[in-house]
Amino acid sequence: MYLSKLKKSLSSRFGFFLLLVFLFWLKTIAVYLIDFQLGVTGIYQYAVLLINPIATTVLFFGCALYIKRTTPAYLTLFLIYIANSALLLFNVIYYREFTDFMTINVIFGYSSVSEGLTTSSFALLKPQDIIIFIDIILIILGFATRFIKFDRHPIPTKHAAAITSFALFFLVFNITLGEIGRPQLLTRAFDRNYLVKYLGIDTFTLYDGLKTAKNNQVRNEATSSDLNSILKFTKKHYAKANSSMFGIAKGRNVIVIHLESFEQFLINFRLNGKEVTPFLNSIYNSKSTYSFSNFFNQVGQGKTSDAENMLETSTYGLSQGSLFSSLGTDNTFEGAPAILNQRAGYSSAVFHGNKGSFWNRSNVYKNLGYQNFFDASYFNTNANNLTEYGLKDKLLFHDSVKYLERLQQPFYAKFITVSNHFPYELDSQNTSFKAADTGDTSVDNYFVTAHYLDQAVKEFFDYLKKSGLYDNSMIIIYGDHYGISNSRNLKLASLLGKSSSTWTDNDNLQMQRVPFMIHLPGTQNGGVQTQYGGEIDVLPTLLHLLGISSKRYIQFGTDLFSSEHDQVVAFRNENFTTPKYSVVNGNIYDNSTGLQITHPSASLAAKIKKESAKVNTELTLSDTLNNKNLLRFYVPKGFTPVNPKNYNYKDDFGEISKIQKILGKKSTSLWSKNGNKTTISDYVSDAPELKTTDDNAKNVSSAVASTKNSSSISESSSSSGD
Ligand code: GP9
Ligand code: MN
């Protein structure tokens, strides 16, 4: 009875269409759950996941419904089905190798960072993959046995159009659900995993295709002459090095510590009489540190990734979205790791306890010339070790040492912390600081996570000293962007001795200060630097300290120590600040009083107009450079363009160990210098998580083998866009 009913329905065109939609939905969901690690949590995310294949499947398959003639109609539908199934299968295979989804450039072989699918990729096929194509065989059998028959009656165009309309409506509905679950999902595109989780694999591919087409159009039209105005600007803007600072850190290791969401006001701040970050304060106040009190974050929507981009390329992030996510896979960079490697033989590594796909890092880092990227997959990421965005900071530093000690010196190593990230939640086992009491939980707990981060950095410094790395290193510490949003600053105001009732836009701007400290063991000439600057200025400053001229590169920042340093700090929304004035939404504020200047003198108005035009030009030129990918036309003297295919972050422990072996006695890694022994016993941490999994004394390589697992980090339910 049922069978004959089923037979009858499948033998109508619409019934067959529904069957394919259903089967495709089924296998997509199976793949989501079995193969992809999308980090789905909570009923909402599961619900969105369940419906996300529907819109595009109906949309694509529905195209065949417009065809009237029987054979072409069935054939088209079936071919679309096969093509879509193939896309799914290829993504599964690709994901196994790269933990990422195939972009249009990968599919068509234009990707610069990965080979895409090669014949060897198919060795990654697993028996379970049969679910992706077994139905195709069953359908063919269905027709062969005449269980399914061709329906000779075409679908009325009206009906086909209704189905297309439904699909489009559902697509908008799905995108809305995605935006609710993860605000700014499409504009900021944090991670391809998120796009697939909320929008489905086909919508992701469609979205990526549209974006790629748009990018390619801009790029195809670009020529090297587009560089002229940019070069004119950067050449004129270049600030020559301060001779008393040039080369003072030459040959040292560079350790960059990225303090997540850390604002300058925390420095030397006391909450209920207690220092929140006593260790960072001691570094800030030390004579061995060049500490900046007027250093601003300049990020846009790309937050952390924008900070990284500015620091390492001295070009701005984009006006919308994250440069790393939207352009970083294909752009040509002339970034810190490549320059340092080529001009001074530095090795390089990033240590970050989140998934490599977040902010598209695993692709972008290759273009930056990073030799190693130790992401979450290199660490023990059991639930107890994690905060919302990855490995807890104390563990990140501690667990990185087994890799750090094997890097050839000098190295350029960046540590990206995560514990001090909105919404500032931390296990009770890790909290040793009393929260504030402003009534806003995230503001209150900000001090707790900042304190934890401070302790983590201290433990790491202690290790650096004990292991001997310290004396031969320059340690750069910076906060990437604000931690408390403008709206929440009103809650913070009273703790800063201000009142929320008189809080202004300018106060919000002033809160964009973040720490920037250059700690140079051995020097006594440091101290607080009051010149104005921002993240864009870091790379030329760093290069000059290392004795490398930055003149030949296209960089928008200027050396903070130079007498010609440009003290106009541009923000992504075209607000800006200078030592005397700040301009917020077109209004001028006097920095000394904090008050708005409603009637500026003619000369002040002219000055501000000029600065404002410069800010606008600078941001526009940086955008042109990146959107058009113009660095591909510009090869500075002695610079070898980075070939991202030289890098593969699958087994970086194996690689750095191999290099040590090959170099033998010439190896300059700490491990080699320590008589081929680990220095991990120099690391003292009070992290309770290490009590059970502490591998201090254990054989390091076995520890590495056991910790090289895949991470189980789920997406934070909160928005990173706070
Ligand atoms: C994620 C971390 C946070 O890996 O760097 O990024 P954010 O949300 O601050 O941009
Ligand atoms: Mn950040």
Side-chain angles (χ1 to χ4, degrees):
M1 179 62 190
Y2 270 132
L3 209 62
S4 68
K5 246 189 166 166
L6 180 70
K7 222 170 142 175
K8 202 168 155 223
S9 342
L10 295 184
S11 298
S12 79
R13 283 200 198 187
F14 188 62
F16 183 59
F17 163 79
L18 283 184
L19 171 74
L20 294 197
V21 169
F22 173 71
L23 287 176
F24 196 76
W25 172 82
L26 201 64
K27 59 193 186 186
T28 308
I29 297 297
V31 162
Y32 283 171
L33 299 178
I34 300 169
D35 290 290
F36 300 151
Q37 296 138 28
L38 298 174
V40 189
T41 47
I43 294 182
Y44 185 83
Q45 291 189 8
Y46 271 105
V48 180
L49 188 80
L50 283 182
I51 63 158
N52 80 32
I54 297 173
T56 38
T57 311
V58 174
L59 188 70
F60 294 157
F61 296 4
C63 294
L65 302 180
Y66 290 90
I67 302 171
K68 304 280 177 231
R69 285 173 49 211
T70 314
T71 317
Y74 272 90
L75 205 62
T76 309
L77 179 55
F78 202 47
L79 285 180
I80 296 175
Y81 187 72
I82 292 175
N84 218 355
S85 302
L87 179 71
L88 191 64
L89 178 68
F90 293 158
N91 264 299
V92 166
I93 299 170
Y94 187 79
Y95 196 92
R96 280 189 196 130
E97 187 152 0
F98 298 101
T99 332
D100 202 350
F101 298 97
M102 288 169 73
T103 60
I104 292 294
N105 280 336
V106 167
I107 295 172
F108 291 107
Y110 298 134
S111 168
S112 51
V113 282
S114 81
E115 297 284 357
L117 292 181
T118 55
T119 29
S120 63
S121 312
F122 288 87
L124 296 168
L125 275 168
K126 288 187 179 173
Q128 74 217 38
D129 299 337
I130 196 151
I131 51 171
I132 302 176
F133 46 86
I134 185 98
D135 53 340
I136 298 175
I137 300 165
L138 291 178
I139 290 164
I140 296 173
L141 274 177
F143 279 111
T145 57
R146 298 188 53 76
F147 185 82
I148 311 173
K149 288 191 202 113
F150 291 109
D151 177 2
R152 312 228 157 256
H153 305 94
I155 299 222
T157 309
K158 252 191 349 212
H159 294 181
I163 289 167
T164 306
S165 311
F166 163 79
L168 289 173
F169 167 80
F170 207 77
L171 188 62
V172 174
F173 173 66
N174 192 164
I175 292 173
T176 312
L177 291 181
E179 283 287 328
I180 293 171
R182 172 54 87 158
Q184 301 177 306
L185 179 68
L186 285 179
T187 44
R188 296 179 67 196
F190 313 89
D191 186 336
R192 285 192 256 277
N193 276 302
Y194 293 9
L195 289 170
V196 171
K197 171 162 70 173
Y198 287 112
L199 306 179
I201 197 143
D202 282 354
T203 311
F204 157 70
T205 311
L206 194 69
Y207 166 78
D208 181 67
L210 293 173
K211 251 183 46 181
T212 307
K214 198 179 130 217
N215 285 350
N216 289 350
Q217 198 196 351
V218 174
R219 278 150 194 237
N220 292 341
E221 286 164 7
T223 65
S224 58
S225 63
D226 291 332
L227 271 169
N228 296 347
S229 51
I230 297 171
L231 276 167
K232 203 172 141 204
F233 177 88
T234 53
K235 281 216 162 98
K236 192 165 162 236
H237 194 227
Y238 167 79
K240 68 168 190 303
N242 174 336
S243 57
S244 66
M245 299 297 284
F246 190 81
I248 60 168
K250 196 173 175 146
R252 293 206 193 203
N253 297 316
V254 178
I255 300 175
V256 179
I257 302 180
H258 167 117
L259 304 176
E260 180 56 45
S261 305
F262 198 101
E263 296 189 16
Q264 175 70 13
F265 87 86
L266 287 168
I267 296 292
N268 292 336
F269 183 78
R270 284 172 184 270
L271 183 70
N272 302 322
K274 266 189 80 181
E275 279 183 276
V276 183
T277 58
F279 181 70
L280 289 166
N281 298 348
S282 73
I283 294 292
Y284 182 85
N285 300 323
S286 153
K287 279 280 166 236
S288 301
T289 310
Y290 296 91
S291 317
F292 290 79
S293 57
N294 293 308
F295 183 90
F296 292 80
N297 88 79
Q298 298 167 286
V299 307
Q301 290 179 325
K303 306 276 295 277
T304 297
S305 65
D306 281 358
E308 290 184 69
N309 175 64
M310 277 183 280
L311 257 87
E312 290 176 332
T313 72
S314 194
T315 71
Y316 289 94
L318 299 176
S319 58
Q320 208 196 37
S322 151
L323 187 145
F324 267 30
S325 300
S326 55
L327 305 175
T329 311
D330 303 303
N331 261 25
T332 302
F333 293 95
E334 282 152 19
I339 296 175
L340 293 185
N341 175 260
Q342 295 183 19
R343 303 230 4 224
Y346 277 70
S347 67
S348 54
V350 182
F351 301 90
H352 182 47
N354 196 359
K355 282 184 182 169
S357 56
F358 202 96
W359 287 135
N360 199 23
R361 287 183 174 106
S362 43
N363 289 320
V364 183
Y365 285 168
K366 292 180 186 169
N367 284 328
L368 283 169
Y370 266 113
Q371 294 169 335
N372 305 284
F373 176 22
F374 298 96
D375 71 354
S377 67
Y378 284 89
F379 301 104
N380 181 350
T381 51
N382 72 46
N384 194 31
N385 289 359
L386 297 178
T387 50
E388 302 245 3
Y389 284 86
L391 197 63
K392 293 173 184 171
D393 296 342
K394 282 188 185 173
L395 307 178
L396 171 76
F397 287 116
H398 174 272
D399 293 351
S400 292
V401 159
K402 58 180 168 266
Y403 307 118
L404 182 73
E405 65 183 3
R406 285 171 189 255
L407 292 180
Q408 294 302 307
Q409 302 186 68
F411 54 69
Y412 173 75
K414 171 162 79 169
F415 290 81
I416 307 175
T417 63
V418 292
S419 301
N420 189 47
H421 192 293
F422 181 82
Y424 311 111
E425 279 162 5
L426 197 59
D427 282 358
S428 53
Q429 59 171 343
N430 301 115
T431 55
S432 56
F433 197 79
K434 199 167 167 285
D437 187 19
T438 65
D440 182 309
T441 336
S442 66
V443 174
D444 294 346
N445 289 330
Y446 184 56
F447 301 95
V448 181
T449 47
H451 182 75
Y452 173 81
L453 170 56
D454 182 72
Q455 292 179 323
V457 176
K458 180 180 186 301
E459 289 181 355
F460 183 53
F461 262 74
D462 289 344
Y463 161 78
L464 292 176
K465 286 179 186 158
K466 208 159 171 201
S467 67
L469 276 178
Y470 179 76
D471 295 322
N472 191 29
S473 298
M474 166 163 74
I475 303 151
I476 292 186
I477 304 178
Y478 80 103
D480 62 342
H481 49 73
Y482 64 85
I484 310 290
S485 61
N486 286 351
S487 58
R488 289 195 161 91
N489 275 340
L490 296 175
K491 289 278 182 197
L492 186 67
S494 63
L495 292 179
L496 304 175
K498 294 215 169 201
S499 153
S500 58
S501 60
T502 54
W503 191 263
T504 63
D505 286 349
N506 180 48
D507 288 318
N508 284 330
L509 179 140
Q510 303 303 329
M511 292 302 286
Q512 301 312 311
R513 281 181 174 78
V514 287
F516 181 62
M517 310 182 218
I518 300 170
H519 185 68
L520 204 62
T523 186
Q524 284 303 318
N525 301 327
V528 177
Q529 318 286 308
T530 55
Q531 60 271 46
Y532 274 54
E535 288 165 332
I536 200 78
D537 301 315
V538 172
L539 183 57
T541 310
L542 171 76
L543 291 177
H544 290 171
L545 292 174
L546 296 174
I548 299 169
S549 166
S550 67
K551 197 168 182 183
R552 62 181 77 167
Y553 306 108
I554 293 183
Q555 295 175 347
F556 287 89
T558 55
D559 182 346
L560 289 160
F561 294 110
S562 166
S563 56
E564 295 168 357
H565 166 64
D566 179 2
Q567 297 200 70
V568 179
V569 184
F571 298 103
R572 215 24 280 202
N573 53 12
E574 295 184 20
N575 288 344
F576 62 93
T577 185
T578 70
K580 283 205 168 117
Y581 307 101
S582 299
V583 174
V584 194
N585 307 329
N587 299 322
I588 309 169
Y589 290 85
D590 183 332
N591 286 351
S592 58
T593 61
L595 297 175
Q596 191 180 337
I597 304 175
T598 42
H599 300 290
S601 67
S603 72
L604 178 61
K607 187 174 138 82
I608 296 289
K609 200 170 159 203
K610 201 171 145 215
E611 277 166 353
S612 171
K614 200 214 74 185
V615 164
N616 180 288
T617 307
E618 193 171 339
L619 292 168
T620 310
L621 290 176
S622 173
D623 288 350
T624 306
L625 180 85
N626 283 317
N627 283 324
K628 294 191 174 177
N629 190 19
L630 297 178
L631 282 180
R632 74 193 138 131
F633 301 125
Y634 184 75
V635 184
K637 194 173 124 237
F639 187 79
T640 312
V642 173
N643 180 1
K645 289 191 177 131
N646 288 344
Y647 308 109
N648 179 332
Y649 303 138
K650 281 244 140 192
D651 179 22
D652 281 345
F653 181 76
E655 275 176 32
I656 52 179
S657 308
K658 203 168 101 196
I659 292 171
Q660 285 185 145
K661 226 177 177 170
I662 293 170
L663 290 172
K665 286 207 163 66
K666 286 196 184 130
S667 167
T668 54
S669 73
L670 182 64
W671 190 86
S672 302
K673 300 227 171 250
N674 192 42
N676 294 348
K677 279 200 310 281
T678 180
T679 57
I680 196 135
S681 56
D682 290 336
Y683 208 109
V684 180
S685 172
D686 67 5
E689 300 82 358
L690 292 169
K691 297 254 161 7
T692 43
T693 60
D694 197 352
D695 47 26
N696 274 359
K698 278 187 224 151
N699 177 305
V700 174
S701 48
S702 76
V704 171
S706 68
T707 56
K708 180 92 181 69
N709 59 1
S710 78
S711 101
S712 56
I713 298 163
S714 65
E715 183 202 348
S716 147
S717 54
S718 57
S719 157
S720 95
D722 176 60

